[in-house]
Amino acid sequence: MTSDYNFAFLDENTKRMLRRALLKAVAIPGYQVPFGSREMPLPYGWGTGGIQLTAALLGPDDVLKVIDQGADDTTNAVNIRRFFARVTGVATTERTSEASVIQTRHRIPETPLREDQILVFQVPEPEPLRTLEPREAETRTLHALADYGLMHVKLYEDIAQYGHIATSYDYPVLVDGRFLTSPSPIPKFDNPKLDRSPALMLFGAGREKRLYAIPPYTHVESLAFDDHPFEIQRWEQQCQLCGSGDSYLDEVVTDDRGSRLFVCSDTDYCGQRRAEPAA
Amino acid sequence: MSALLQVRGLSHHYGQRVGCQDVSFDLHPGELLCIVGESGSGKSTLLKTVAAQLTASSGSVRYHQRDDSWLDLNELDEAGRRRLAREEWGFVTQNPRDGLRLNVSAGANVAERLMAKGMRNYGQLRAIAKGWLERVEIDPARVDDAPTSFSGGMQQRLQIARTLVTQPRLVFMDEPTAGLDVSVQARILDLLRRLVNELGLAAVMVTHDLAVARLLAARTMVMQGGRVVETGLTDQILDDPQHPYTQLLVSSVLTT
């Protein structure tokens, strides 16, 4: 740890403000708590919300993992991991099972999480109703009155246009039967992992200055119609590196003649499976 | 028969200016009341105040609920007001683009209020939406088209379908036919008269067009400067106006 920064970059008062907001968020699952978002040394949209939450959570004994679209080795993940290694001196890891705090963008790890782990999401747009209702005062009123018919208008539009619910990421959920919540742009493949998760899930939107939480073992329901139930993506392929048939696959174009490769988006999960001898 | 809506001494002021002043009337189930007057006479203000979209400066509006109890709209909280507006009432605006959701299809527009009430069966929603498009004389094949691709008259009919789909007991209409050409107006008025009769709903309609009042309303209120100057049966008011302003209004209609 260098002496140029306070531990975890943010000053203690800011971290205190964030922790108070986080406590409130945990107390009201799915409710968007406003907080005084600070300037961070990376642009909005790169995870300023997640990075502030992580800064408020980290202690010297924590082990941090940062993933971006499931991968530990992309620019966003590498930079944030290096940032925290530098300003806190905490240990970092790429192994999901070894981490105590996991900051993530757009994925939930395939490896099941435990009660002693915290997942921090980077959220670009915390308001699930925003595309349908641009007025902030109005969306807040809708949340206050639990008046969520509007969200089904969007799902209706999907079915009318595509024949099925085409929303495939940032799929709206109802948390604890009360608050309509954006799960951040995770694929809907990961939505079932939100339901009654043993790990605490925290969501930070830096530009929008909102944070919210899904506490452990909270019921999270993905919205749907009676005759068009919620479904996750499926692939005909298996991961061509580790052979997994039940993880979220990325399609990688390998040349300009139409060759493509399907691989796990979760690099740690894929790597572990390849390291283990096939059992 | 008991009234559906009781308005007593209702006023709304915009600061020092008078929107509407000391208006009282009763509306009975199945009745269509027209409010006529020139622009700026307080018609729309009165309508919005009665519909609880504006807060009354003084006076009261009471609504007779299905369970036979009276609801005082001054004492209604925001949640109750929205429930009423969603489930018991409808509001048709002059400009259909204000009342429609333009970025979603016609079908979603019609089905929105049903989804807000908790209906969660896509097939059913769609069937009802198509049925209503047919009732307002829009080709059901256009259920997935955007309202922006509709003509002005079709948009207005779509707004009417969207409003009536939950079978409200009371509908407020703010000049629903203004800004449409005469033949389209006639179709919409015809449609409204038919639907009002079929569904047995009560309606308050604001218009500056006396012909609309003549065609649709049994009773008419004439407003000037925020006050009601004359009220009575439509035919009586139009054929034998008593108040000088009403006389002026009636005599200024162009006849061909």
Side-chain angles (χ1 to χ4, degrees), chain A residues 90-111:
Chain A
V90 299
T92 60
T93 181
E94 296 192 358
R95 303 279 289 266
T96 302
S97 53
E98 287 171 5
S100 59
V101 176
I102 304 171
Q103 181 171 336
T104 176
R105 170 173 178 266
H106 298 193
R107 275 311 308 279
I108 297 176
E110 306 287 357
T111 313

Side-chain angles (χ1 to χ4, degrees), chain B residues 132-145:
Chain B
W132 267 97
L133 288 184
E134 209 158 4
R135 283 177 91 162
V136 297
E137 298 164 19
I138 297 175
D139 181 0
R142 299 201 62 176
V143 65
D144 293 332
D145 290 0

Side-chain angles (χ1 to χ4, degrees), chain B residues 5-12 22-26 46 49-50 55-63 70-75:
Chain B
L5 199 68
Q6 248 181 21
V7 180
R8 290 289 176 272
L10 194 69
S11 306
H12 181 83
D22 195 25
V23 178
S24 303
F25 66 88
D26 280 357
L46 173 63
T49 313
V50 173
T55 359
S57 307
S58 62
S60 74
V61 180
R62 296 202 310 155
Y63 172 68
W70 284 94
L71 189 69
D72 190 334
L73 298 189
N74 284 338
E75 290 162 13

